Amino acid sequence: MSNSSSITHFLLLAFADTQELQLLYFWLLLGIYLAALLGNGLIITAITCDHRLHTPMYFFLLNLSLTDLGSISTTLPKAMVNLLWDTRTISYWGCAAQIFFFFFFITSEYCLLTIMAYDRYVAICKPLHYGTLLSSRVCLHMAAAACASAFLNALLHTASTFSIPLCHGNVLNQFFCEIPQILKLSCSDYYLREVGLIVVSASSFFGCFVFIVVSYVQIFRAVLRIPSEQGRHKAFSTCLPHLVIVSLFLSTCFFAYLKQPSLSSPSLDLLMSVLYSVVPPAVNPCIYSMRNQELKDASRRLMSWIFFKSDK
């Protein structure tokens, strides 16, 4: 039996038993990671460089892309290194850092998704007050509040998790450090404190989800009153993808962190973790860029400028 003071590293989940399959998974994860980097990087650059996109909606989208880059960069690079070098280890403090930054980025992302729902509500339901309710100063304060809330949430969860005595080995059945997997190694009732924090966080997330749903009910009621079919299509095209991402993100997070132990299995845990930690950062750029004509036009102008400069 060991305790947490004697643990110097953890063993992460092995994706495959053979070197060939490990290399296959490495190239798959590398492709996903590069797609996320390229897509989110393009959104960040297009919004930063195009003054037409210097509006609250695109300001929050830029911040969402930054958090997407941060969250996927917290988990996938270490998993790819382990696959490439045929190892499973992550240091004790590396695991703590991974949990802190991952919680920071996913909490920031959910706060931003909530703010973006409010932005769409004001833009569609209260257009005459848009400039007042979402001024530059208000937007900066909202983004700062999201970061501060995420920092506090990540700090509390990390400190609580790594103060729990661990005596059931150091094997985590996940490809990155995940709190439910660490709690399984606990040998005392101290883990209930972290479970309580998870429930509190889940309640806050659910409250945000209710706010998002109520906002979209009001939005859809207003959209259905728009006489122009083009106007209705534009409103739905910006709102529906946002609602899909929020629903996928929240449902998989809730299942991963609040499910009954009897429902746990390595393959199911892996699937849920991929759905909430890898899929949103990778598909967000496609959803927001392909359904947004202004962003597509800005991306085309950016690519044209890049190729024009390279030809010179």
Side-chain angles (χ1 to χ4, degrees):
M1 299 278 281
S2 62
N3 56 40
S4 55
S5 63
S6 63
I7 293 177
T8 59
H9 65 276
F10 292 97
L11 295 177
L12 299 175
L13 179 70
F15 279 89
D17 297 327
T18 64
Q19 183 69 23
E20 291 77 12
L21 278 177
Q22 286 183 345
L23 288 175
L24 176 63
Y25 284 124
F26 166 78
W27 288 112
L28 176 62
L29 293 183
L30 180 62
I32 294 173
Y33 185 57
L34 290 178
L37 289 181
L38 179 62
N40 286 291
L42 183 60
I43 288 177
I44 292 168
T45 307
I47 294 174
T48 302
C49 297
D50 197 324
H51 66 88
R52 301 177 187 87
L53 302 184
H54 292 178
T55 63
M57 182 178 79
Y58 294 109
F59 170 74
F60 294 127
L61 181 56
L62 182 148
N63 281 273
L64 182 68
S65 292
L66 288 173
T67 59
D68 281 338
L69 285 180
S71 64
I72 201 168
S73 296
T74 302
T75 57
L76 284 196
K78 179 59 179 175
M80 290 188 292
V81 168
N82 285 354
L83 284 169
L84 191 60
W85 296 107
D86 193 20
T87 182
R88 298 169 54 193
T89 62
I90 184 171
S91 69
Y92 182 87
W93 293 111
C95 187
Q98 195 174 63
I99 282 181
F100 174 82
F101 284 110
F102 183 68
F103 251 83
F104 172 77
F105 286 120
I106 65 169
T107 304
S108 297
E109 177 161 353
Y110 197 68
C111 289
L112 287 168
L113 290 171
T114 305
I115 294 170
M116 290 170 72
Y118 175 71
D119 169 75
R120 292 298 82 208
Y121 166 75
V122 175
I124 293 174
C125 299
K126 299 180 181 294
L128 298 179
H129 301 284
Y130 189 79
T132 304
L133 295 175
L134 284 164
S135 63
S136 298
R137 186 174 182 179
V138 171
C139 292
L140 287 173
H141 286 171
M142 284 182 171
C147 288
S149 302
F151 178 84
L152 180 60
N153 191 45
L155 187 62
L156 287 174
H157 281 287
T158 306
S160 176
T161 300
F162 285 89
S163 65
I164 298 171
L166 307 177
C167 62
H168 292 301
N170 64 342
V171 179
L172 304 178
N173 290 319
Q174 192 54 270
F175 72 94
F176 65 97
C177 286
E178 190 182 50
I179 288 178
Q181 299 299 327
I182 295 178
L183 296 183
K184 291 179 181 179
L185 307 180
S186 172
C187 53
S188 73
D189 291 337
Y190 285 108
Y191 78 93
L192 294 174
R193 178 179 55 195
E194 174 55 25
V195 172
L197 279 176
I198 290 175
V199 171
V200 171
S201 295
S203 300
S204 301
F205 276 33
F206 184 73
C208 292
F209 181 70
V210 171
F211 175 83
I212 292 171
V213 170
V214 171
S215 298
Y216 276 112
V217 169
Q218 298 299 319
I219 289 171
F220 293 148
R221 288 177 61 186
V223 166
L224 292 175
R225 292 196 295 265
I226 297 176
S228 167
E229 183 177 348
Q230 184 179 3
R232 289 197 301 269
H233 179 268
K234 182 178 180 180
F236 277 121
S237 68
T238 58
C239 294
L240 286 177
H242 181 203
L243 192 57
V244 169
I245 287 295
V246 170
S247 301
L248 174 67
F249 179 78
L250 191 65
S251 61
T252 52
C253 272
F254 273 25
F255 188 85
Y257 283 83
L258 299 177
K259 69 179 181 299
Q260 293 291 328
S262 58
L263 297 176
S264 181
S265 70
S267 57
L268 185 60
D269 291 344
L270 178 62
L271 175 62
M272 290 298 105
S273 66
V274 168
L275 286 177
Y276 79 80
S277 66
V278 176
V279 171
V283 304
N284 270 348
C286 296
I287 289 177
Y288 285 108
S289 61
M290 291 178 66
R291 304 289 294 180
N292 189 302
Q293 189 60 43
E294 291 177 332
L295 193 54
K296 285 194 289 187
D297 292 341
S299 299
R300 290 194 192 99
R301 287 192 292 268
L302 176 64
M303 297 303 294
S304 299
W305 181 82
I306 292 173
F307 286 121
F308 177 76
K309 293 290 287 187
S310 63
D311 288 342
K312 282 190 171 184

